[in-house]
Amino acid sequence: MTVFRLKEEAVFEAKPASDPVVLVTRVGGAEGSRGAAAALACAAAEPDGGSLLVELGERRGPRPTLVASTAARELEERLVVHLPDAGVASRGRLCQVALPADLEGIEQARAAVAVARASAAVLHLPPRLLHAALEDDCLPLSGALLRADLRRDRALTALVVGDLRERGVSAAVLKRQLGWLAARRALAGSLAADAAGGLPGRLRRMLLNECGQVLPLALGGIFVVILVALALVSIAGAITGKGRVQRAADLAAISAARSMRDDLPRLLSPPTLPNGLPNPLHMEKTAYLLRARGAASEAARANGVGSVRLLVSFPDQDSFAPVRARASVLADVDTGAGRVRIQAVAVAEAAAPASAEGMPAMASGGGYVGPLAYRQGEGMRPDVAAAFDRMAAAAASAGISLVVNSGFRSDAEQAALFAAHPDPQWVAPPGKSLHRCATELDLGPDSAYGWLAANAAEFGFVQRYSWEAWHFGYAQGPPPCSQVGNAIGMGGGDGNASAAADLPSFVPVRYRAPLLAAAARWNVSAALLAAQLMAESNFNPFATSPAGAQGIAQFIPSTAAAYGLSNPFDPVAAIEAQAHLMSDLIEQLGSPTLALAAYNAGSAPVAACDCVPSIPETTAYVSRILALLGGAGALALPTFEVRLVA
């Protein structure tokens, strides 16, 4: 006789074999096992009596109802005393118990069965706990009901049934799920005998009145294919197991990459504050990778993979900002015909969006070349955006909603506009418009013109032309299209400090002047060039790569020759050539992001898709530079995507 202890030290004998316990589960992707379990429990209840329905995985459980039999109510009262943490409710002729879908849930189910004693019991559980329940000596099983779609999972169903038969457990298969109304009535504890096509009566006879016997399998000739199924089951099981293991690896890698995406701003933030004190927001790379590894391990555990089965690595660990994670899972899968060792590998990355569409973070195309801030979908210099926010708030308090109709326009956009309206009084020719400087806003609606004329100057805006009541330019900051204006937002500068001081703090002092000079000469953002050098060589003028790239800007010899760079190891000359090349690429491709991709992978694959091509090295390269610019305050950190790449 087996005994075990419950709450309040009550002791119960294990349920005698004459009191049936039936397992209900599903096979493969079949649905409807919960309704079938409730229907079976209803069928098992004696007239005016009650039965026990234990559901693993329904932690909260249903609410009790006023319409409940006396027997079900009494059973509920006993279970609440001995299983206070479980969800217990009496509904109709059922007493339903909701338990967690784990081994602890099986232990509590054993306790619930013992408390129920003379009542019939149905245990509904997820497929992964079937073997654990079968091996529990304190659950005297009289049968099992499998909800299975035979057209899809015939071989797997045959395997499960064969396993049950070997254990001496009666088995039946429900080939179609109950109708919606029948399932709802069953879960409410009331189901007519014919509500599910005769299911309750048939299963009662098969599973409840013939305890301990091996019953005929109601599969309509399924044993004809059992031998074939057993021959194929190791292959099918390996495929199914491979899928589960691969999903676990995928989720672990994605979780690590998400952690890296979320922590990237902290990794790239300055280690010290301007006053020299440690920056509390900064995160060292060791902690950055440790958190990513922990996220992968947590995801693996949630999917049934222990830490000893998981290996997490970072392919770009040696870079200043790793953005890729590799998860390898090794598992032994039980196919029914033996155990097969399976390894699954996944690589995920946190990367900037590949498409060139949308709103660029950096201005290009003539005029202003600094970071762009957006208001109502229109780009502008960051200080202009801040001033507009203040003005819009004041207008809103006066009952006026300002609308931004136009902001930054490149020379190409201005040329198209001028071609459509070739009147220089209303549309400036390309290269002449102040809109190219990101300081100009066309505002509306018409009803706001009077308020703007009276109040815009208070916020630094002036009406540029008397005949354009909508055109306001920002005049309080650096002059339009100036090098100081380009530095706004780079490293936190306010436009009043020197341009050199506004370069990102990670730039070595010796390279600040060459960077600013080259950026001004070729009309390219100095912060962009600086971040690129950091990614290319970490400002090492003598760096080389296995691919033959040389110097601080990592020129290959053919490209260096094309840009007149005779000595790639001369950092000043290399920075000049770098700015020249980036200027050409931006003009050719129309986007600093695509220019970065072309600098790394060549312009052909970038031009072919008008995107950052799916080359791991290239996507990581672009992402690091954009993230570095964000961490340095040179632009708002782009919304990085997390995606699987292998």
Side-chain angles (χ1 to χ4, degrees):
M1 180 176 67
T2 304
V3 297
F4 49 91
R5 299 188 180 276
L6 304 175
K7 298 289 184 181
E8 300 182 0
E9 301 301 320
V11 179
F12 292 89
E13 296 184 3
K15 193 175 185 67
S18 59
D19 297 329
V21 178
V22 181
L23 297 182
V24 180
T25 189
R26 60 181 174 82
V27 176
E31 297 180 349
S33 60
R34 185 167 181 252
L40 188 58
C42 288
E46 297 295 336
D48 300 324
S51 63
L52 175 66
L53 173 60
V54 182
E55 296 190 77
L56 273 67
E58 296 292 331
R59 190 67 176 96
R60 295 180 61 184
R63 295 180 179 178
T65 65
L66 294 176
V67 184
S69 68
T70 302
R73 188 80 69 194
E74 291 175 350
L75 180 54
E76 176 191 0
E77 293 173 355
R78 296 203 304 271
L79 287 169
V80 168
V81 171
H82 298 293
L83 294 172
D85 296 331
V88 184
S90 55
R91 299 171 65 85
R93 296 198 294 181
L94 296 183
C95 181
Q96 300 183 40
V97 181
L99 298 173
D102 53 22
L103 295 179
E104 180 183 351
I106 290 183
E107 293 179 1
Q108 295 184 53
R110 182 199 312 159
V113 168
V115 171
R117 282 177 283 191
S119 301
V122 174
L123 177 59
H124 177 233
L125 74 171
R128 63 185 178 86
L129 292 181
L130 176 60
H131 283 88
L134 291 173
E135 294 171 357
D136 193 315
D137 295 334
C138 294
L139 285 174
L141 305 178
S142 60
L145 172 64
L146 306 177
R147 168 68 188 100
D149 293 332
L150 297 183
R151 286 180 298 179
R152 181 178 58 189
D153 295 314
R154 182 176 294 266
L156 183 58
T157 304
L159 176 65
V160 176
V161 169
D163 187 22
L164 292 170
R165 287 170 59 86
E166 291 178 0
R167 295 172 180 267
V169 178
S170 306
V173 173
L174 180 63
K175 295 182 284 185
R176 290 181 296 276
Q177 61 180 319
L178 303 185
W180 178 84
L181 180 59
R184 296 283 294 180
R185 293 185 64 189
L187 289 167
S190 173
L191 184 66
D194 60 350
L199 167 67
R202 178 170 63 86
L203 292 180
R204 180 183 176 86
R205 290 193 301 273
M206 293 181 63
L207 297 177
L208 302 178
N209 293 345
E210 303 185 43
C211 301
Q213 299 181 25
V214 180
L215 302 178
L217 183 64
L219 283 177
I222 187 63
F223 281 114
V224 176
V225 298
I226 282 184
L227 291 179
V228 177
L230 291 176
L232 296 176
V233 73
S234 61
I235 298 175
I239 293 174
T240 304
K242 172 67 173 176
R244 291 196 302 269
V245 176
Q246 185 62 58
R247 283 193 296 274
D250 291 347
L251 291 172
I254 288 173
S255 297
R258 283 177 177 169
S259 172
M260 297 164 84
R261 176 199 63 189
D262 295 342
D263 288 342
L264 200 53
R266 295 188 60 190
L267 173 70
L268 295 172
S269 64
T272 58
L273 298 172
N275 59 9
L277 295 176
N279 184 356
L281 296 179
H282 176 71
M283 178 182 292
E284 293 295 333
K285 188 165 74 170
T286 301
Y288 172 79
L289 297 179
L290 187 61
R291 283 170 56 87
R293 195 183 304 275
S297 298
E298 183 176 352
R301 283 195 301 271
N303 288 277
V305 177
S307 57
V308 297
R309 298 287 187 178
L310 174 70
L311 178 63
V312 180
S313 59
F314 304 97
D316 54 351
Q317 181 172 348
D318 292 338
S319 70
F320 66 88
V323 292
R324 296 167 65 83
R326 181 181 187 273
S328 176
V329 174
L330 187 65
D332 293 328
V333 177
D334 189 353
T335 65
R339 299 187 70 80
V340 177
R341 177 152 292 190
I342 291 176
Q343 183 178 18
V345 177
V347 179
E349 69 176 2
S355 173
E357 299 177 358
M359 300 181 293
M362 301 290 291
S364 63
Y368 175 66
V369 294
L372 286 172
Y374 286 88
R375 298 296 184 269
Q376 302 176 26
E378 296 294 332
M380 57 196 76
R381 217 168 63 184
D383 59 332
V384 178
F388 171 78
D389 289 342
R390 295 190 294 270
M391 185 168 66
S397 65
I400 297 173
S401 297
L402 295 182
V403 177
V404 183
N405 294 313
S406 183
F408 170 75
R409 287 199 295 265
S410 67
D411 285 346
E413 292 170 323
Q414 190 69 25
L417 187 62
F418 185 76
H421 306 279
D423 184 346
Q425 181 177 0
W426 295 98
V427 180
K432 302 294 185 180
S433 170
L434 288 177
H435 277 284
R436 66 200 292 269
C437 303
T439 55
E440 312 302 297
L441 302 178
D442 289 346
L443 300 175
D446 295 354
S447 57
Y449 292 164
W451 187 93
L452 286 168
N455 297 281
E458 179 183 348
F459 304 95
F461 289 93
V462 297
Q463 185 178 339
R464 291 295 189 190
Y465 310 107
S466 60
W467 60 89
E468 291 185 351
W470 56 86
H471 183 165
F472 286 82
Y474 187 63
Q476 203 169 66
C481 291
S482 64
Q483 184 62 40
V484 178
N486 291 340
I488 285 291
M490 296 181 182
D494 59 5
N496 296 319
S498 68
D502 284 327
L503 273 171
S505 60
F506 58 76
V507 180
V509 174
R510 61 181 293 199
Y511 299 125
R512 290 177 175 267
L515 275 168
L516 291 168
R521 184 174 297 109
W522 296 107
N523 199 30
V524 180
S525 164
L528 180 67
L529 296 177
Q532 191 176 18
L533 292 178
M534 180 75 168
E536 289 285 359
S537 65
N538 197 22
F539 291 98
N540 178 5
F542 305 108
T544 59
S545 78
Q550 300 173 327
I552 193 171
Q554 290 292 277
F555 273 95
I556 61 173
S558 59
T559 306
Y563 279 83
L565 180 60
S566 59
N567 181 12
F569 299 106
D570 179 347
V572 175
I575 290 172
E576 178 75 12
Q578 172 205 7
H580 188 177
L581 174 56
M582 283 297 292
S583 176
D584 288 351
L585 291 173
I586 291 173
E587 182 178 0
Q588 173 189 347
L589 299 169
S591 161
T593 300
L594 297 186
L596 289 172
Y599 194 100
N600 179 265
S603 59
V606 177
C609 67
D610 193 30
C611 69
V612 178
S614 297
I615 302 171
E617 179 187 348
T618 302
T619 58
Y621 173 82
V622 173
S623 298
R624 288 191 195 99
I625 293 174
L626 294 181
L628 188 59
L629 287 169
L635 54 80
L637 188 64
T639 302
F640 278 23
E641 299 172 348
V642 174
R643 54 179 178 247
L644 288 170
V645 294

